[in-house]
Amino acid sequence: MKNKALIKVFAITVFILLAILPLGLNAQNPIIQTNYTADPAPMVHNGTVYLYTSHDEDKTVRNFFTMNDWRCYSSTDMVNWTDHGAILSYKVFEWSRGDAWAGQCIYRNGKFYYYLPVNQKNGENAIGVAVSDSPTGPFKDAIGKPLLSGYGYIDPTVFIDDNSQAYLYWGNPNLWHVKLNEDMISYNQEPGIVKEDLKDENFGYRAKKIDNRTASYEEGPWLFKRNSKYYLLYPAGGVPEHLAYSSSTSATGPWVYGDTIMHVIKEGGAFTNHPGYIEFKGKSYLFYHNAALPDGSGFKRSVCIEPFTFNADGSIPLITPTKEGVKESAGNLNPFVRVEAETFAWEEGIETAKDEETGVYVTDINNGEYIKVRSVDFGKGAKKFEASVASALQGGKIEIRIDEKNGSLLGTLEVKNTDGDQIWKTLSCKVNKVKGVHDLFFVFKGGEGNLFNFDWWKLK
């Protein structure tokens, strides 16, 4: 997200809010500040949460969704997110002409299958399947053609039941599903594509009819199972959308309408929303999107998270969107191993970039900007800070502080010209000893313009 003037205005606003709100120091939403992200699709794999998102471009074309690729972020603590950059674009599907909308990735038999909606070159909606050996790619077209195509064939959600049967739901404004075969790239021809009978008792009521029905379901389904109950979350009610859910004793219904789980977001909301759900380390999390970043809009959205607790009867409570988001981390960050600089909970002003040799790194660093890393476990203390940096011009400084942006100064790393913004050098400085768990701030200081690039860091 490149409008740095707006970011600075946003930062000033946040600073004022922090001064008047006691919980402001724990601000976490939106969880990604370097890009406009939407349609969150979280996946838990081997103790890590991988968050797949669509990506709203900074520049909107024809005042409509301008989306060309999908991005991935990961976390082991639900507060610090590592940016893996764009992991594929619509161009991976040679038969596609664009519109990289809401998808979902799932793991099976050593592969990661990513179900993605695009528009075909002939203009029809379609759902493709991309496959990879790694959750962060590279992905390739699994079958060389659409898995499904038809009007309104968007927003797929994928789920594998306890008996190993996989299901795919999708659709706007109608809802369809198929049983996927074990290969995950074809579907059972019997019964084939099933169109849901959208009735009010199944999916709630809306006052304005659509397709000659009043059921509230709109788009963006998210299917999961908890205990013995199946849940289908979805945006509902038309524009502006709220989030609702239905439940069943079967992955194929019949569905019984539950209730609204998030009202239309009036302050900082987009006219769309999109749910995602995971259970991670014994806690439940709802993912959604709003438009709360600087210059945000219905076409420039931002992903957020709210932890919640199911009611005793298994129903989902009404969840209020907050700026605080996840207040308690699901684990502490170990600073004594290499930590990617693009791993953080909050930032002001910086950007991330990606190339084949270095991967993702922090760039566009200006004087006064900062990165916040939450819940860092200093253990019994460290003596030295190490970082990989590159600078083509003046360089600058990294002030290492704890607990807040202007908190106790542990040390200062002097970053000098390395003869190129891709000429990486590992530099170090002494740090004052501090024990226990703290939030860690990297505050960047220097002259005018881009100071340096920042790839990774660690304590010793």
Side-chain angles (χ1 to χ4, degrees):
M1 194 173 63
K2 299 300 181 185
N3 196 327
K4 302 196 79 168
L6 283 166
I7 291 173
K8 291 183 184 296
V9 171
F10 178 64
I12 292 170
T13 303
V14 169
F15 179 80
I16 294 171
L17 286 172
L18 298 187
I20 61 176
L21 295 176
L23 293 176
L25 289 174
N26 292 322
Q28 183 75 26
N29 283 328
I31 64 166
I32 309 299
Q33 306 95 43
T34 49
N35 286 281
Y36 296 115
T37 56
D39 307 318
M43 177 189 72
V44 180
H45 180 71
N46 287 345
T48 297
V49 179
Y50 293 92
L51 172 61
Y52 300 88
T53 75
S54 55
H55 171 212
D56 292 330
E57 297 288 348
D58 290 358
K59 185 177 181 181
T60 300
V61 178
R62 295 188 297 275
N63 195 33
F64 193 63
F65 298 107
T66 307
M67 305 163 73
N68 298 315
D69 55 32
W70 296 273
R71 305 185 71 89
C72 182
Y73 305 84
S74 66
S75 178
T76 56
D77 56 26
M78 294 301 295
V79 294
N80 298 301
W81 293 90
T82 301
D83 186 348
H84 298 280
I87 56 172
L88 78 163
S89 78
Y90 71 86
K91 294 178 182 178
V92 76
F93 303 116
E94 292 185 357
W95 43 268
S96 167
R97 66 173 173 83
D99 295 331
W101 292 354
Q104 186 180 350
C105 187
I106 198 167
Y107 173 81
R108 187 169 200 174
N109 297 331
K111 301 283 186 180
F112 296 87
Y113 296 91
Y114 202 174
Y115 299 85
L116 298 164
V118 290
N119 281 320
Q120 297 182 77
K121 290 180 178 177
N122 66 9
E124 193 172 39
N125 299 137
I127 295 171
V129 189
V131 64
S132 175
D133 295 326
S134 164
T136 57
F139 284 86
K140 64 180 181 180
D141 188 348
I143 54 178
K145 62 181 180 179
L147 174 67
L148 298 155
S149 60
Y151 173 74
Y153 277 34
I154 65 170
D155 296 359
T157 182
V158 60
F159 165 74
I160 302 174
D161 207 347
D162 298 335
N163 64 0
S164 296
Q165 177 62 60
Y167 299 88
L168 194 74
Y169 274 80
W170 72 93
N172 172 335
N174 294 299
L175 178 64
W176 296 269
H177 77 260
V178 293
K179 290 183 177 181
L180 292 172
N181 293 325
E182 189 174 355
D183 64 9
M184 301 298 283
I185 57 174
S186 62
Y187 59 88
N188 195 321
Q189 297 300 313
E190 183 60 45
I193 298 174
V194 177
K195 184 178 179 181
E196 297 292 326
D197 188 7
L198 296 178
K199 295 181 179 179
D200 296 355
E201 59 264 33
N202 306 120
F203 295 98
Y205 171 79
R206 73 166 89 195
K208 185 178 180 181
K209 282 189 176 182
I210 183 169
D211 283 5
N212 202 35
R213 50 94 176 174
T214 56
S216 191
Y217 170 86
E218 183 72 19
E219 60 180 347
W222 185 273
L223 177 64
F224 69 94
K225 184 180 183 181
R226 180 179 180 269
N227 298 329
S228 59
K229 185 180 289 189
Y230 298 82
Y231 295 81
L232 197 66
L233 314 183
Y234 47 87
V239 174
E241 295 171 344
H242 64 275
L243 297 182
Y245 83 100
S246 300
S247 62
S248 178
T249 57
S250 166
T252 57
W255 297 99
V256 177
Y257 178 67
D259 207 342
T260 294
I261 58 175
M262 180 174 285
H263 288 309
V264 172
I265 303 173
K266 294 182 179 179
E267 183 179 352
F271 58 82
T272 64
N273 205 337
H274 191 288
Y277 166 83
I278 56 168
E279 182 177 309
F280 185 63
K281 297 185 178 180
K283 294 187 177 181
S284 298
Y285 298 90
L286 176 72
F287 291 69
Y288 63 101
H289 67 230
N290 63 14
L293 285 179
D295 204 27
S297 70
F299 305 123
K300 294 181 181 180
R301 296 159 294 177
S302 40
V303 168
C304 301
I305 308 174
E306 302 297 340
F308 74 97
T309 302
F310 282 83
N311 295 322
D313 62 358
S315 60
I316 302 176
L318 182 66
I319 299 167
T320 301
T322 68
K323 293 178 181 177
E324 292 76 37
V326 181
K327 298 176 185 178
E328 296 182 8
S329 66
N332 296 324
L333 185 142
N334 179 6
F336 296 98
V337 297
R338 170 173 163 154
V339 181
E340 297 301 315
E342 63 274 11
T343 299
F344 47 81
W346 194 263
E347 59 81 19
E348 176 192 322
I350 62 95
E351 302 289 344
T352 58
K354 184 177 184 179
D355 63 39
E356 291 185 3
E357 184 174 345
T358 307
V360 180
Y361 56 91
V362 171
T363 189
D364 204 11
I365 297 170
N366 285 252
N367 179 53
E369 297 173 350
Y370 71 91
I371 285 173
K372 175 184 178 181
V373 186
R374 284 182 58 184
S375 300
V376 177
D377 189 352
F378 286 82
K380 295 181 180 180
K383 296 180 180 179
K384 188 166 72 171
F385 172 79
E386 249 183 20
S388 176
V389 292
S391 176
L393 298 172
Q394 59 183 314
K397 298 178 181 180
I398 303 177
E399 292 184 349
I400 305 149
R401 297 180 178 270
I402 57 169
D403 299 328
E404 54 187 87
K405 180 183 175 182
N406 297 315
S408 297
L409 179 66
L410 300 187
T412 301
L413 181 70
E414 298 278 351
V415 180
K416 297 181 179 180
N417 185 338
T418 65
D419 297 324
D421 58 11
Q422 293 298 310
I423 306 298
W424 298 94
K425 291 189 177 180
T426 301
L427 305 178
S428 64
C429 69
K430 293 181 179 180
V431 292
N432 297 327
K433 194 171 185 179
V434 63
K435 298 179 181 180
V437 178
H438 298 267
D439 290 346
L440 179 63
F441 287 76
F442 298 127
V443 183
F444 305 112
K445 295 295 179 70
E448 295 294 324
N450 187 21
L451 302 178
F452 51 87
N453 293 332
F454 184 17
D455 187 26
W456 58 264
W457 63 273
K458 69 185 295 186
L459 296 179
K460 289 188 171 182

